[in-house]
């Protein structure tokens, strides 16, 4: 049963290699389109063939330049909608602005909700993403979506290592998800707590709550941006007697000076995924990149065929 | 400047006493209406006077019976809208369903978003609430709102006690907010971590991460429902040598058997607020109830007059 | 042709027996889900299997407790929508609040419209119900629906009795539909007219317009709530010489003191349907309950297969 | 307090004389605009002055040609919205299509709801009308409105006559409102019941339920269209011994052959209002036209000033 | 693959003959419905059979009376939506009000956008039309549509004539599209420029920019309304030595006095299409009417089957 | 009358100098906010003071980087909306994507409509811009707006020169607006017509329609992007004997290689406005920049005070 027409995959500029791997998994060719950038920076999308009545997936991560990629995604949705696509799903392995998800001070925006509104008003019918900064962002959407996680991929990788480790979160906001890693791996848990000192911006006191002495440490987080928190966490656990340090995360944003920081830290291995393309000059020898291609490919396939996605995770 | 007409406060069935205290603070009379319950359970709202062009506030907590109170709120909004109110703000000191804020397993609803949709479609222009279970719920609304907190009220109360305490959260989901309490009070922080044992429902291993030995303990959370987590946390900190135990929270839901549990636990003081009415038989001798009347009254006033709410908190 | 995927029936808490009868008629199993009620009264819905792309029907009457059942219906819709159901139809044999359908005095709500808005915003694609208090409520919905009637079921039952009767409506608001009963059965028509006496609430003068002397009387209405109007009507027709009295209605709300009233009245037979479950203690010996299972089952089937529903009634 | 700017009245083509009378009552000049009709029938509206931030009322009945007048109303709303009016209220003394308010057979539209949608999507903030065919049409609107009635005007007129009358409704759909007339005037009530005979279109049996012998009769209805029902009702009450016959209604549609029919019937007086302009050739000697100018003028004024409309009717 | 059910064509009152020709091309029967006009001018639509789940097309040009036809279209959409049609496409060969597409002076409406809003709110899923006055009107719709053109039909006809011509546009607003005609036919291009003289309404100076001396002239425009511009253009090109004059346009509105004007002008041939029915008394001997039946039929077919429409034009 | 609270101007990053000039004209200070750019490129907006109930204007041109600036605008709207601004107007002197206003080939987007949707869904109440590429884009908005023009500013400047000129448009799409310039200045009109030669991309034949011999030429357009069309037009009019060449336009986009091209062309003067900031290295000696500060300042003021904007242009 193919209620939404044939499956069509389009690769946005945000993760072309991953898109091709997903297409290979599903065993279809990527559909062709032009994505033009005019001298005045305006973008233009033109499909090579019609998508009337088809079941269309745009695979497009919010890689740099972030705003051009967001706009490219929205223009692509508009284009597909106006060509009478049967159903449009945006597949965004890494979704930008998911840290702007609440007003924790007055007079600021909630940009993750704005983004959800924009995706809906452009004409998407569904969305798919991996490891949102907070699960509540799902509720910013009125249209259905699949909020996936690389948790199982990452856990399975560490399982195979047979470590005697402690799971550490560099931030208390990740404490509950850190617990899930620790519980699944059967390790104890510890946290880095930060407090501002005085009123000076940037001065912080760091405390490790829990113990890591003579243990391997796996620092877990959803993403590495400037690697500032990671740097602090590595230093803290090292100073508390950690034997070795691993990092596990889903999204490698790697804003400057992340690469320099990571290069200089005593980290045994950084394990992450390919939700964002990794430029060669940011690739470090101790990095292991696990692909989300099978995960996304299988979910797209099940979505297309109307089969359960939850079953994929034995849920 | 009174751009939205005169201020009008209506008291819903969810927190009549608090509503009266707010009216007293603002120095206006509560507006009159009938809220009828027909034998077939249907509700009916009838305003005694016109609200054409006025700036209307419905003060109504989601007390028991929860669904009747939710429906009363929505019907009241519809009624005020159809009487051409100038602006309608729902003031919900305790908002139900705020724990249903994400899909943490497949094939479940996000009821907090549904509730936001219902409030918007009924015709509210703004909302106001205290200590949502997660701040992200703000983003479930497209209309503006004031997401307030009793944090300053509770912290100030404990400040005056001059304790030598550790702040403990009974759940890792509250870890980051627990840190805010600890930092503001200048105390160390510890957490209760729970893990499921085996596949049997309900069997859990509890660990205290951090140390409480010979210290006073303040267990902080957003609400007490059945007091199951509180009971576990009190037992854990006591077994780890805590000197005395205080509880601090905003909302006292107190579902059975909360009152029995709390009565039997070695708790020195339970400090909470009046976002929900406390029936006499649930009032315990060690409970201290701080009122949010001034907080809500002042925010309503500033909202009405177009003055900053953030300034109220020196923000 | 199954444009909307496979048919899936879910039974809400409002009419489980009727839902099972409909499933039997259609010859499918009811789909499984959990409807949990937490100690804080909050509801939680969890589907056992995926409904991606399927044609889903929620069968759920607005039985007592009315507001919990309304909320259950809305949460179920949200849950099914977020699981990417292909099409969602709410089947509500008895729809609450359908008497709140207009402002017949100033400063009141129109709750039936509010309910329609809530059903739409939750994500339903279609609705189905039986004998709305007024046909105009259909227009409260922008989404298509099937507004069905038990008229043919009830008329057919009385046809078989070969009475020499007068059809009487206990309220002038039902006059036109009373005419339809009378015309279809070939009987004359009469009405009970009520007028308030003076300004005292509740004092009413009753007049029978038309004649019932020495006749069987069939009092027809859409529902019996407290049975106050029915009591008045029975007394009036009896005092005007009616030989025997039958009652015909669709929905048995039976709010207190309906059962006591009905038990004490000289009624030969009360004929109604199973749009609402009838608790055993409200079942009277003179009640005949006709099932709407075939009606709803057939309409669901035709809706699923894209066949005409009107044809079912030779229209 | 003038929260919505200054009051501005615009007269549409549907009832220019009534609009002028309302302006006189309120003591403002009608605002000027051009309403052009191009040779291709397209309409064009152009305001002479700006309405930025003003409180605008379009007074415009759905007189013949009905569809041009509906479109004129919608174009006027769009024009005022795009000129940044502060608030737009459409005042439609007679609202067309209010008889198409439900699906009483399959596969038909609900045009009154469509009209409500059109008024909302064009940009109106509020609506005002007189004697809708059914009160439920209020619920077709999500925006607030004033659903007024000429009931008090008509009743007061008949009060002054000191008749000894029976109130008769020519249709059972008007039975309940007929009761209101009878109760207010202190007269008994009777109804004309119609039934189709056989399957031939148009053949009907008429019955008078209730008695009119030797009485004056006031036939009450919301409107007179072709006067077919009125003709039937007059003939029935005359044949049952009525002494004299009055007609009372709000809207004089007077579609052919209404004028001929009315001219030939033994009617003492036809009492109606000026919600629609009455062309001279349709004016009969026995017609009394009461104006709704004060009613609409007063409600517009109270709406503008944010005062209660209900109070106007001691409600 | 027939994702939207079976194809169903309905013929509105605006172009019944063209609708029949399209049905013949597609080889289906027109679906039956009643379009009734009541004495009070109100319209009523009733489908003879169900359209549940079907792929429905309403073929209906905005012929005179324009507003009745617009309303008929909208009521038909509402009717089909409420009968649960699977997908509704309005096919409007000539779309009224497409000249009201911007505010080129203050305080006027944009009626073409209003019309788009009305079509969407009534419930249409898609639209189809031919030669909009400006292409931007496509952007007034959020729903997808097919904005077609008779350009290829008209160009092909002139190609076959082997003229030695100049293409002339009677208005600078059509200059760019005139260039397309000229380029496709391989002819030079010229324009009639109009300027107002002084402040007197209607006094204009006409200039021909470019040369037509001793050439055949093809005056191209999207439509002929009163033929005023055409008259001016013919006179100008004649006075500048044009050998012969042809007119090419899509829509023949022919408002008075167009027919008289055209009859009296020295025009060799007027070539147009049947997007609007041509009444016999407006048919002139020098008119050639080309049908858009194949164009619309083929696009409807491709739309139904989910095939590319662009390919139809080698795009 | 200040129905929308006090006026508040915010300067976006797109045109800070112009924003300051507008604030000077209106005689208010710019309101303060932070616009932060995080290392991961995400933007963050934080208001220094509350805007509750105020009449807020964001002045922000779509300068480079275009997409970051579009996103900044949308985030700013969301931020102001969530702080309960009374009314939000986005003032965008140059609006990006206004050339993507229709589908002139299949399977492409209409990005200007998408942008309108995004502005509306973010929460803007009104918009203001200058010289849209096509006037129809106004109709892409459902919210009211002021579509202004620099026409009067530019014409007045050329008036003062006392030239004996011909107005030339470099593109037929600008023909009608070119006519307006010519008519206002009292000059004749000519056009550059382009046709593709063969199927090779880029090969074009240029024709001048009209005559420029021995005349000054004013080439008019809405904007200069890469200056490709301008280069062609200058070359054509020079080769046809133009005495001198002026350029008049509103928006100076100046994408590479515009500056090089313009520097090398025999242009006497380039007259444009400051809707976009002009970087020093793009400033040429023959450029004259006229400011739109008074125009925007005056319109903002009139909008705030509810006075006519049309009157500003004697309309």
């Amino acid at each position: 049963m193919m209620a939404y027409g044939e499956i069509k995959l389009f690769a946005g500029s945000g993760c072309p290699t991953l898109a091709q791997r997903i297409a290979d998994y599903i065993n279809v060719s990527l559909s062709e389109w032009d994505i033009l950038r005019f001298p005045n920076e305006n973008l233009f999308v033109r499909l090579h063939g019609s998508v009337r009545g088809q079941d269309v997936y745009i695979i497009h991560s919010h890689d740099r330049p972030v705003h051009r990629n967001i706009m490219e995604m929205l223009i692509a949705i508009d284009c597909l909608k106006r060509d009478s696509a049967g159903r449009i799903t945006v597949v965004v392995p890494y979704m930008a602005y998911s840290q702007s998800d609440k007003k924790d001070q007055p007079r600021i925006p909630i940009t993750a909700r704005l983004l959800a509104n924009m995706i809906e008003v452009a004409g998407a019918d569904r969305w798919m993403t991996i490891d949102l900064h907070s699960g509540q962002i799902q509720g910013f959407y009125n249209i259905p979506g699949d909020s996936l996680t690389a948790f199982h991929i990452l856990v399975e990788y560490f399982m195979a290592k047979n470590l005697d480790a402690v799971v550490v979160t560099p931030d208390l906001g990740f404490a509950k998800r850190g617990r899930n890693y620790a519980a699944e791996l059967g390790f104890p848990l510890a946290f880095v707590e930060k407090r501002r000192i005085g009123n000076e911006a940037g001065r912080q006191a760091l405390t490790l709550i829990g113990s890591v002495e003579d243990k391997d440490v796996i620092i877990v987080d959803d993403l590495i941006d400037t690697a500032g928190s990671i740097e602090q966490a590595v230093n803290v656990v090292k100073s508390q007697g950690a034997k070795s340090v691993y990092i596990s995360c889903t999204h490698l944003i790697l804003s400057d000076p992340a690469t320099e920081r990571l290069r200089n830290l005593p980290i045994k291995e950084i394990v992450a995924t390919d939700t964002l393309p990794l430029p060669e000059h940011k690739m470090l020898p101790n990095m292991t990149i696990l692909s989300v291609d099978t995960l996304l490919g299988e979910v797209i396939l099940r979505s297309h065929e109307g089969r359960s996605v939850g079953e994929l995770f034995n849920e």
Side-chain angles (χ1 to χ4, degrees), chain A:
Chain A
M1 194 206 58
M2 302 251 176
Y4 300 104
E6 288 172 34
I7 197 167
K8 297 275 176 196
L9 304 188
F10 286 86
S13 309
C15 54
T17 307
L18 176 57
Q20 184 59 60
R21 295 172 69 111
I22 293 170
D24 291 348
Y25 177 85
I26 294 176
N27 204 16
V28 296
S29 299
L30 287 169
S31 293
E32 288 180 35
W33 61 1
D34 300 321
I35 300 176
L36 306 178
R37 290 171 205 140
F38 291 124
N40 65 2
E41 297 193 355
N42 284 10
L43 296 169
F44 182 68
V45 169
R46 189 169 45 205
L47 312 181
H48 288 196
S50 172
V51 295
R52 284 179 184 261
Q54 310 306 335
D55 189 22
V56 180
Y57 297 80
I58 307 167
I59 302 168
H60 179 55
S61 223
H62 289 167
D63 191 24
R64 284 187 175 79
V66 170
H67 300 110
R68 190 182 78 195
N69 275 322
I70 288 175
M71 198 71 185
E72 181 188 309
M73 170 190 71
L74 296 167
I75 294 174
I77 296 171
D78 184 81
C79 177
L80 291 161
K81 173 186 77 180
R82 291 188 184 276
D83 196 46
S84 303
R87 187 171 71 158
I88 300 169
T89 303
V90 281
V91 180
V92 187
Y94 167 69
M95 182 79 85
Y97 279 104
S98 87
Q99 284 154 305
S100 177
D101 61 354
K102 63 174 164 301
K103 286 177 66 175
D104 46 14
Q105 50 179 307
R107 302 187 289 276
I108 63 169
I110 303 182
T111 308
R113 172 61 196 265
L114 172 64
L115 191 58
N117 282 357
M118 284 156 62
I119 287 172
E120 288 183 13
V121 84
D125 297 296
R126 298 181 72 262
W127 52 274
M128 216 174 269
T129 191
I130 297 182
D131 282 323
L132 287 165
H133 183 64
S134 62
Q136 287 85 352
I137 294 173
Q138 300 166 47
F140 291 3
Y141 292 83
N142 248 339
I143 52 172
D146 291 297
S147 179
L148 306 169
T149 179
F151 176 80
H152 307 91
I153 295 171
L154 293 163
V155 160
E156 197 175 311
Y157 180 82
F158 279 100
M159 285 278 195
K161 282 194 178 300
N162 293 311
L163 301 175
D164 175 25
V166 176
V167 168
V168 173
T169 76
D171 186 280
L172 291 174
F174 204 71
K176 200 159 186 177
R177 284 198 273 172
R179 196 267 325 265
N180 295 345
Y181 277 87
E184 193 77 12
L185 289 164
F187 296 150
L189 188 55
F191 311 103
V192 178
E193 189 213 337
K194 291 172 223 168
R195 292 192 192 177
R196 215 167 26 169
I197 302 176
N199 278 319
E200 241 173 288
R203 288 201 56 213
Q204 286 184 317
L206 299 177
T207 316
L208 185 76
I209 307 181
S211 160
V212 298
E213 203 166 352
D214 283 332
K215 294 276 198 171
D216 296 320
V217 161
I218 307 173
I219 298 174
V220 295
D221 211 342
D222 55 341
L223 55 81
I224 304 179
D225 184 1
T226 61
S229 294
I230 293 289
E231 186 179 49
Q232 292 176 327
V234 171
N235 290 337
V236 165
V237 299
K238 272 302 194 183
S239 74
Q240 300 283 322
K243 221 164 57 183
S244 73
V245 182
Y246 293 81
I247 313 281
S248 170
C249 76
T250 303
H251 310 295
L252 285 178
I253 318 278
L254 301 185
S255 304
D256 285 338
T259 305
E260 268 334 279
R261 278 178 171 155
L262 293 175
R263 199 192 305 276
N264 296 327
L265 284 168
I267 301 171
K268 190 142 181 192
E269 188 174 2
I270 300 169
V271 183
T273 78
D274 59 350
T275 55
L276 283 166
L278 187 60
E280 211 157 315
H281 68 281
K282 293 191 174 176
M283 185 73 200
L284 297 177
N286 61 347
M287 282 183 176
T288 301
I289 306 301
L290 307 174
S291 185
V292 295
D293 54 0
T294 303
L295 172 64
L296 287 173
E298 188 61 26
V299 173
I300 289 172
L301 212 52
R302 283 164 180 260
S303 161
H304 175 60
E305 294 170 356
R307 287 189 292 131
S308 170
V309 165
E311 272 174 17
L312 191 57
F313 310 104
N314 297 321
E315 289 173 309

